[in-house]
């Protein structure tokens, strides 16, 4: 498949990395030659320096025989015009655009993207995706990271191991003996800053951060086994009243269970806009780092604080201040993945990475083939891949213990038909099964070969 990716920033680069790794013919376009050079130097892609919306630039990128174009530049308008040019001049079959402005995303204007108007097949809203990720974090307050797989049938939970954890110093292989009906698998462990896929004889120690893939019906039991309690979220303070904060507050208002939310926003116009849009939520105008304003918002009585301003440092510091004031659970929006290791020392419970969320969303929407979802762990240190097993795959017809997985790869969940089953070494993987695999970054290419993504990919 031939794909043109417009925009070589973090999102465009990550998408190019995934698609080029699956042996697609990928061309990256950006008006910044340095970003284009970075892509061509580090990835198996071609690069064109120029404005993505210019017809001659797209022509040089191979638009005449391209199968797909992904417009992920920093400008909504450039992304929209790029898709229009791709359709009108080059008849590219599939067009994906990242759009940030909420005005373009209002449902009453959805006719704008009809084929005879502005022909965009898939519209990705980073703010909407981040807002949904924030709600997932709030729904699993005991986890620092979470993502759903298999249409919600399984969930990835990032859990910090504390001194009181009942399974500390227990070899992982014994967990299946102790909890024979439990459908959960520890697929990754971060210890002293290093992430690895654990062996059956490995133990968990206080201070470890582990990634567990759990059947949706066993989430509560898994949390109890790991010494976590499911706190009910009744009071939430949102710091940041921009698009993300407003979307989260609106979603909290729409929930059937009553949640009392308060929003703090420093910009007066944004605060006024949020106050007009929200019905039951109190909006406070001021700095989310102001201890007095946090006290006025009742931070000491809040069950959670969600820090979603457009500045990473403000979000981290606001989370720290809220925790110091008595809030038990703090979530911070962090764009820079190098700041994630600071979370634990600072006491921040969970984070949201907008870039990783956007990349996962784009990949989920553009893949019509066997790979259904990809979720990036940490600073692209590992990936959780959901895929359908092909009859041509070397995995089909074998049990899990018979499959030649690399050391850094573990199977976290399998769905047969409409049922998510318990993972055992003797479980047979058949054609058509959906499988969720944890893979360290160095092993992703080998996993893709096992899945044989390049055969019948689309």
């Amino acid at each position: 498949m031939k794909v043109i990716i417009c925009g070589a920033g973090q999102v465009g680069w990550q998408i190019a990395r995934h698609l080029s790794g699956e042996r697609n013919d990928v061309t990256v376009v950006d008006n910044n030659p340095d970003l284009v050079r970075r892509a061509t130097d580090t990835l198996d892609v071609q690069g064109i320096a120029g404005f993505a919306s210019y017809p001659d630039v797209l022509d040089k990128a191979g638009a005449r025989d391209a199968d797909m174009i992904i417009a992920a530049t920093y400008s909504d308008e450039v992304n929209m015009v790029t898709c229009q040019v791709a359709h009108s001049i080059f008849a590219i079959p599939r067009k994906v655009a990242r759009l940030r402005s909420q005005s373009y995303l209002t449902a009453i204007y959805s006719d704008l993207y009809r084929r005879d108007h502005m022909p965009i097949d898939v519209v990705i809203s980073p703010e909407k995706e981040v807002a949904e990720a924030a709600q997932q974090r709030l729904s699993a307050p005991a986890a620092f990271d979470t993502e759903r797989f298999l249409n919600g049938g399984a969930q990835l939970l990032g859990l910090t191991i504390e001194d009181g954890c009942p399974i500390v110093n227990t070899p992982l292989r014994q967990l299946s003996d102790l909890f024979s009906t439990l459908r959960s698998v520890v697929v990754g462990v971060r210890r002293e800053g290093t992430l690895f896929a654990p062996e059956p004889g490995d133990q968990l120690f206080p201070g470890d951060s582990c990634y567990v893939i759990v059947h949706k019906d066993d989430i509560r039991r898994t949390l109890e086994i790991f010494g976590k309690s499911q706190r009910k979220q009744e009071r939430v303070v949102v710091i940041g009243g921009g698009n993300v904060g407003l979307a989260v507050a609106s979603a909290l208002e729409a929930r059937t269970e009553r949640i009392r939310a308060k929003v703090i926003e420093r910009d007066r116009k944004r605060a006024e806009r949020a106050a007009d849009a929200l019905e039951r939520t109190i909006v406070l105008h001021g700095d989310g780092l102001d201890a007095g304003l946090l006290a006025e918002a009742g931070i000491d009585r809040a069950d959670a604080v969600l820090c979603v301003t457009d500045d990473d440092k403000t979000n981290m510091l606001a989370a720290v201040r809220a925790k110091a004031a008595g809030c038990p659970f703090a979530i911070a929006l962090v764009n820079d993945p190098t700041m994630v290791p600071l979370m634990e020392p600072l006491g921040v419970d969970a984070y949201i990475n907008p870039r990783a969320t956007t990349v996962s969303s784009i990949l989920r929407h553009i893949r019509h083939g066997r790979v259904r979802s990809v979720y990036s762990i940490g600073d692209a240190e590992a990936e959780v891949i959901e895929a359908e097993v092909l009859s041509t795959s070397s995995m089909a017809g074998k049990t899990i213990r018979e499959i030649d997985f690399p050391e850094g790869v573990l199977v976290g969940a399998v769905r047969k038909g409409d049922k998510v089953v318990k993972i055992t070494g003797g479980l047979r993987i058949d054609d058509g099964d959906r499988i969720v695999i944890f893979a360290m970054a160095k092993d992703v290419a080998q996993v893709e070969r096992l899945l044989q993504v390049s055969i019948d990919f689309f």
Side-chain angles (χ1 to χ4, degrees), residues 107-128:
I108 59 173
Y109 305 135
S110 58
D111 274 359
L112 175 64
Y113 307 111
R114 275 172 33 191
R115 207 160 187 78
D116 53 343
H117 291 162
M118 183 74 69
I120 302 174
D121 301 298
V122 177
V123 173
I124 303 294
S125 164
E127 282 81 4
K128 182 180 177 183

Side-chain angles (χ1 to χ4, degrees), residues 18 64 66 84 89 126 145 198 264 303 318 330 454:
H18 287 294
R64 293 191 184 279
Q84 182 70 68
I89 298 179
D145 199 1
I264 298 175
D303 299 300
S454 59

Side-chain angles (χ1 to χ4, degrees), residues 166-182 221 225 422:
I167 58 172
V168 162
N169 301 330
T170 304
L172 294 178
R173 68 162 62 91
Q174 289 186 17
L175 294 184
S176 57
D177 299 329
L178 293 169
F179 311 101
S180 58
T181 61
L182 187 69
R221 188 175 169 214
I225 289 168
K422 180 177 170 62

Side-chain angles (χ1 to χ4, degrees), residues 226-300:
F226 279 80
K228 306 292 182 181
S229 59
Q230 274 282 58
R231 296 187 298 272
K232 193 174 180 181
Q233 305 293 321
E234 295 180 341
R235 294 182 175 88
V236 177
V237 175
V238 180
I239 298 177
N243 290 333
V244 174
L246 182 55
V248 172
S250 298
L252 293 176
E253 283 193 344
R255 285 191 183 182
T256 51
E257 68 273 24
R258 184 167 176 78
I259 295 178
R260 299 176 186 174
K262 293 180 180 177
V263 174
I264 298 175
E265 171 53 50
R266 188 166 64 176
D267 183 87
R268 176 170 286 278
K269 287 186 178 179
R270 280 185 180 178
E272 289 173 350
R273 187 189 68 163
D276 290 340
L278 299 168
E279 295 179 7
R280 300 192 308 271
T281 303
I282 296 172
V283 179
L284 301 174
H285 172 236
D287 190 344
L289 290 171
D290 186 306
L293 190 60
L294 287 172
E296 184 182 341
I299 198 69
D300 58 328

